[in-house]
Amino acid sequence: MESSCINNFLTFLEQLRSHGMVVGVAEALDAFRLIDGGLLRSRSDTRFALCCLLAKSEREQEIFFQCFDEYFVPASVSREREEAELIERAEHAAARVKIMEELTFEGRPIELSDELREVYADMDEERREKLKNYLGMSTENERRSPFTYNFMRRILEQHLRMEESMYDTADDAAVGSDSGSLLYKDISKIGEDEMPRAVSLIQNLVKQLSGSISRAYRRSGRRGRLDFRATIRAGLGTGGFYRLKYRRRRRSKKKLVLLCDVSGSMLKYSEFAIRFLKSMSDVSESSRTFIFSEDLLEASPFVLSNMGSFQSYVKGSGLWGKGTDIAAAVDKLMSLRPAVLGGNAVLIIISDTKSVKLGEARAAVQRAARAAGRTIWLNPIPERKWLKMSSVTQFHDLCDMLDCSTIHELSRACAKSLTV
Amino acid sequence: MDITTDSIRAMLRGENYIADDSVAVTLYAALRLSRPLLIEGAAGVGKTEIAKVLSKGLGRPLVRLQCHEGLDKNKALYEWNYQKQLLSIQAGMSCGVSGTDGLFTEDYLLERPLLKAIRSPEPVILLIDEIDKSDEEFEAFLLELLSEMQVTIPELGTIEAESVPFVVLTSNNTRPLSEALKRRCAYLYLRYPDVEKEVAIIKAKLPGVDDMMAREVANAVAYLRASDDVVKKPSIAETLDWMRALMALGSGCLDRENTVKTMGFVLKNNEDIEAIVEDEGFGKLLHQ
């Protein structure tokens, strides 16, 4: 084989490796033997033969085919692609310059670093439109104008951070199908090797969610009663020009009570949900976490602050691997003194609704829902299957049931349970 | 037989195994390089059938090792014939000869599938079926066989293959296999056939079947496989069984009455059957 061909092939192997495939020397030699022997007549035969030697799983096969189709293209197609790419790049650059020029305030361009300008240009149309609207509203508005620059910068920097974190977490899953993306993958199918990435993804989502939750609270905070004393005091300073002052409303934070099913396959869902809900604990005054299967146990605070040991803790607690008895668990929770549930408590049940003694379980959940201020059920079974499951219909009307089958759904469900 | 991609394609066709190019080329590459072939895929997509077809097509005997939990090398490789050894010792004692010399020789060796494949003078097809059901220890034990084509028996030493068997391993993906094992094998992933391919399979396996009927059945089976309500997806063999059952009832088309009667041939789970019988989408595929 010519050295240029060998180099070409080695570069291809490097590309496969860069996409996470493990290609050993022995496999590479096998592939060389096949190609060098001139035993493969067509491009298609070569494609399949190399695939069977180099890709060792369904996902790796998808990666292989994508890489192969991108790498080995006929010269004419390659030339066409390059030309099209050049044209597209030029058009894109011109469009970006135009977009960046839009960023003006009161007729003058806003001073931002090149990086933030790039971020603005990369934003989708809708977001850019929102920012432009804000700038439009701030024009000739004395109260807002001094903050405009800082606000814009903050928004753009936040967007940049989000993009970076999404890029980091999605990096490994970038090649391959969308189903490979952890965000939309069924939690039960997330393998042990993907756990660190899943945890990192959850942390990133929590950062974004925490921001949106606190903003939601600020927006919903209404004015309290008139603060007469503060109004008079402020008026004295201006020689009798009164501007009304109001007392700030006391914000009472919710008390979260998590009831997590840890029997068998539910363990991973519960772990992920706890990671979400605990990380967002700034919206809650206090929270208590209980795990259950046939019995109920309060999770130790040490484990909750070291979630890495959560699975081993549950497996050692004697609850794991048993059946599920929601009735027994809820009854035990209700019997605890001092009472765990109250008007200010939000009871969050994380379970797939499968339980023994469904009738008793329904009655128990009904009692608990009456005692708690609000009851939310995070169900790992996709919503489209709920109607067909008798166990889901038992509890559906007693609480707000939310789908949490993927990390994406779970983050939405957690945010919803804490903000609505 | 000179092995080329075309000859493999012809062989598969000759044995009525309907496969796309990826299967033929993978078989060719594995045979050319004498690499074991690991086939993964859902149950009933035709993994085991490939080994059988190869055996017939290449005219090589098929040696099969069915894996299961607890399978060890005594059941897979060799075992000493203890009864014969005891008799031999007793016979020796009666003659005044004692000791264990000569007890661990070929005479007392019981061949199991792996040893049989290795010692066969003519090359065989060795099918190691459902490797994912065996324990990890057994998987590790196979590494020597797969890479060196030899096995070691402590009392006899290392036995090299007299003729290199072509090894086909199948897995249903119930557990991930080790990287070491995968690295030693060529890899093939089989999916359920699409409608066109399934029609071709039905027609190949059941000559004389009506074209339209075959297509309707293939469409219905494709629907069942894609449905979230069906837990146990129907295999190709079940499609053929269903087709046979419908033909036995004299159905000229996929009508509701006979479909419901014969549903048990294609779905093996009562919840699945109940869900599908009430499914509107499935109902649209049937003649009323």
Side-chain angles (χ1 to χ4, degrees):
Chain A
M1 196 189 280
E2 285 177 29
S3 64
S4 62
C5 290
I6 295 174
N7 284 339
N8 202 15
F9 188 67
L10 288 176
T11 314
F12 174 64
L13 294 183
E14 275 309 310
Q15 198 171 344
L16 292 179
R17 288 182 185 126
S18 72
H19 284 123
M21 282 175 60
V22 182
V23 181
V25 179
E27 289 130 312
L29 284 174
D30 276 348
F32 267 125
R33 277 168 60 196
L34 267 188
I35 297 170
D36 200 25
L39 303 167
L40 301 164
R41 288 185 197 159
S42 64
R43 181 179 184 276
S44 159
D45 283 2
T46 311
R47 187 171 177 263
F48 288 132
L50 292 186
C51 179
C52 80
L53 294 174
L54 303 176
K56 300 295 166 67
S57 69
E58 193 184 4
R59 185 169 170 271
E60 284 193 358
Q61 283 193 339
E62 283 176 25
I63 295 172
F64 176 88
F65 287 135
Q66 273 190 25
C67 290
F68 188 93
D69 294 342
E70 278 171 20
Y71 194 82
F72 296 106
V73 286
S76 58
V77 177
S78 173
R79 266 197 305 278
E80 276 173 25
R81 269 192 203 173
E82 275 172 21
E83 282 167 13
E85 205 175 305
L86 276 177
I87 294 169
E88 195 184 339
R89 215 179 289 165
E91 283 175 356
H92 188 62
R96 283 168 76 88
V97 169
K98 203 177 162 194
I99 287 169
M100 284 191 270
E101 281 169 0
E102 292 172 356
L103 216 53
T104 57
F105 180 66
E106 293 181 345
R108 283 168 292 143
I110 295 183
E111 288 177 17
L112 289 172
S113 66
D114 287 345
E115 190 182 26
L116 293 184
R117 282 182 177 278
E118 294 277 331
V119 170
Y120 176 73
D122 286 336
M123 278 179 157
D124 56 43
E125 184 81 34
E126 192 186 350
R127 279 170 179 266
R128 281 207 308 267
E129 205 55 43
K130 273 186 187 168
L131 278 180
K132 276 197 285 183
N133 284 345
Y134 177 78
L135 285 175
M137 283 194 300
S138 304
T139 305
E140 293 172 9
N141 183 333
E142 282 178 14
R143 287 176 63 196
R144 281 187 183 180
S145 58
F147 306 110
T148 303
Y149 168 71
N150 282 338
F151 175 75
M152 290 294 294
R153 203 187 56 190
R154 239 184 12 253
I155 292 281
L156 293 172
E157 281 173 352
Q158 193 185 14
H159 197 81
L160 180 67
R161 276 201 304 277
M162 259 170 64
E163 275 189 346
E164 281 172 354
S165 61
M166 291 297 273
Y167 180 76
D168 288 344
T169 48
D171 195 26
D172 291 344
V175 172
S177 64
D178 286 340
S179 62
S181 167
L182 275 181
L183 195 58
Y184 300 100
K185 191 170 182 177
D186 191 320
I187 290 176
S188 64
K189 288 177 184 152
I190 293 177
E192 285 302 314
D193 54 329
E194 292 172 314
M195 280 298 280
R197 282 201 299 134
V199 170
S200 150
L201 183 62
I202 288 172
Q203 282 163 354
N204 283 323
L205 288 169
V206 163
K207 271 186 216 159
Q208 293 165 26
L209 280 174
S210 302
S212 67
I213 288 167
S214 61
R215 280 199 298 280
Y217 264 73
R218 274 205 289 273
R219 277 201 297 273
S220 66
R222 286 175 302 170
R223 280 176 171 178
R225 285 184 301 152
L226 179 71
D227 189 339
F228 192 70
R229 180 192 284 261
T231 307
I232 296 293
R233 284 170 81 91
L236 288 175
T238 57
F241 178 75
Y242 294 108
R243 177 175 278 178
L244 298 179
K245 300 277 181 188
Y246 294 89
R247 286 180 196 278
R248 288 187 171 204
R249 269 174 83 90
R250 276 197 182 173
R251 214 173 287 152
S252 123
K253 287 186 174 177
K254 294 168 184 173
K255 178 180 157 195
L256 295 187
V257 180
L258 309 185
L259 191 57
C260 308
D261 185 351
V262 289
S263 57
S265 61
M266 276 303 302
L267 177 58
K268 205 179 282 176
Y269 290 103
S270 292
E271 183 192 337
F272 282 9
I274 291 173
R275 278 182 191 275
F276 265 108
L277 295 166
K278 294 301 287 183
S279 306
M280 293 191 285
S281 59
D282 59 332
V283 295
S284 162
E285 207 153 55
S286 63
S287 66
R288 294 178 73 177
T289 304
F290 297 87
I291 54 177
F292 76 95
S293 59
E294 286 176 353
D295 197 8
L296 180 89
L297 192 72
E298 180 157 14
S300 111
F302 174 76
V303 172
L304 295 175
S305 54
N306 297 282
M307 284 301 288
S309 58
F310 181 73
Q311 290 209 7
S312 51
Y313 167 74
V314 171
K315 285 175 183 170
S317 69
L319 293 176
W320 193 71
K322 292 191 174 172
T324 307
D325 190 344
I326 294 176
V330 174
D331 282 341
K332 190 167 177 185
L333 179 76
M334 298 277 286
S335 68
L336 292 177
R337 291 292 174 269
V340 179
L341 299 176
N344 196 29
V346 178
L347 172 63
I348 300 181
I349 303 173
I350 303 153
S351 166
D352 57 5
T353 69
K354 290 172 189 164
S355 167
V356 293
K357 296 179 274 184
L358 272 177
E360 286 175 33
R362 181 185 158 81
V365 171
Q366 201 164 18
R367 284 196 295 278
R370 266 191 227 123
R374 188 165 172 235
T375 307
I376 294 159
W377 197 302
L378 301 186
N379 191 342
I381 295 169
E383 194 172 354
R384 63 178 187 279
K385 294 186 180 173
W386 288 359
L387 281 177
K388 290 167 189 159
M389 294 186 61
S390 55
S391 62
V392 175
T393 49
Q394 287 283 336
F395 304 107
H396 196 258
D397 58 323
L398 301 179
C399 52
D400 298 330
M401 195 172 278
L402 303 170
D403 177 353
C404 67
S405 53
T406 63
I407 293 181
H408 177 67
E409 295 290 350
L410 182 62
S411 72
R412 283 177 53 187
C414 291
K416 205 171 168 189
S417 29
L418 296 180
T419 54
V420 177
Chain B
M1 177 181 168
D2 186 28
I3 295 171
T4 61
T5 45
D6 289 337
S7 67
I8 297 281
R9 283 185 189 108
M11 180 192 77
L12 293 175
R13 265 198 308 274
E15 296 298 329
N16 276 343
Y17 189 90
I18 311 295
D20 50 30
D21 265 1
S22 66
V23 176
V25 176
T26 303
L27 286 177
Y28 167 74
L31 282 164
R32 267 280 167 189
L33 298 168
S34 299
R35 282 266 158 202
L37 175 64
L38 169 64
I39 311 176
E40 283 191 328
V45 289
K47 301 184 293 289
T48 307
E49 193 64 20
I50 285 187
K52 292 180 186 168
V53 166
L54 277 176
S55 162
K56 280 185 195 164
L58 299 175
R60 297 186 189 181
L62 177 71
V63 178
R64 179 172 179 162
L65 173 65
Q66 181 65 48
C67 295
H68 53 82
E69 211 173 314
L71 178 70
D72 58 8
K73 65 178 174 184
N74 285 341
K75 290 172 194 158
L77 184 63
Y78 74 97
E79 206 170 359
W80 293 110
N81 191 338
Y82 295 118
Q83 289 86 349
K84 197 172 170 184
Q85 283 174 329
L86 276 174
L87 284 173
S88 178
I89 291 169
Q90 282 173 348
M93 283 169 74
S94 62
C95 302
V97 183
S98 63
T100 56
D101 289 347
L103 285 179
F104 293 98
T105 57
E106 293 280 343
D107 296 339
Y108 300 95
L109 191 66
L110 293 175
E111 272 184 356
R112 299 292 180 229
L114 295 184
L115 189 59
K116 190 177 171 190
I118 284 278
R119 301 212 309 180
S120 166
E122 54 176 335
V124 299
I125 303 291
L126 171 60
L127 169 63
I128 302 177
D129 211 7
E130 301 191 337
I131 178 74
D132 53 325
K133 299 259 170 68
S134 69
D135 305 319
E136 284 169 14
E137 292 79 13
F138 182 73
E139 201 183 308
F141 157 75
L142 277 181
L143 296 180
E144 185 190 5
L145 172 75
L146 296 179
S147 56
E148 307 297 330
M149 285 299 160
Q150 64 179 34
V151 289
T152 304
I153 297 176
E155 296 86 353
L156 297 180
T158 301
I159 300 174
E160 286 182 16
E162 288 184 25
S163 57
V164 179
F166 182 66
V167 185
V168 178
L169 300 107
T170 71
S171 162
N172 286 340
N173 261 337
T174 53
R175 72 169 171 86
L177 300 175
S178 71
E179 285 299 320
L181 182 87
K182 284 185 171 180
R183 237 183 9 252
R184 285 164 172 79
C185 303
Y187 179 84
L188 176 65
Y189 188 86
L190 288 183
R191 290 174 182 79
Y192 285 116
D194 55 25
V195 173
E196 291 305 323
K197 203 167 138 190
E198 190 126 43
V199 171
I201 293 171
I202 293 172
K203 281 156 75 173
K205 298 283 181 188
L206 304 171
V209 70
D210 180 48
D211 269 11
M212 197 186 77
M213 179 82 170
R215 186 162 293 278
E216 284 177 356
V217 167
N219 272 324
V221 171
Y223 182 89
L224 296 177
R225 285 183 191 140
S227 169
D228 285 339
D229 296 331
V230 176
V231 176
K232 165 129 182 14
K233 310 288 180 199
S235 67
I236 296 171
E238 282 162 337
T239 307
L240 296 173
D241 284 347
W242 192 29
M243 190 77 218
R244 283 192 198 102
L246 288 166
M247 285 164 73
L249 289 178
S251 295
C253 61
L254 200 61
D255 58 297
R256 175 168 277 282
E257 191 189 343
N258 284 334
T259 301
V260 173
K261 278 182 193 166
T262 55
M263 213 61 188
F265 284 91
V266 71
L267 295 177
K268 305 296 167 65
N269 186 332
N270 193 37
E271 284 80 23
D272 288 354
I273 295 175
E274 282 175 4
I276 282 299
V277 167
E278 288 166 12
D279 188 296
E280 279 182 27
F282 187 73
K284 286 177 187 165
L285 298 173
L286 309 177
H287 294 269
Q288 296 301 324

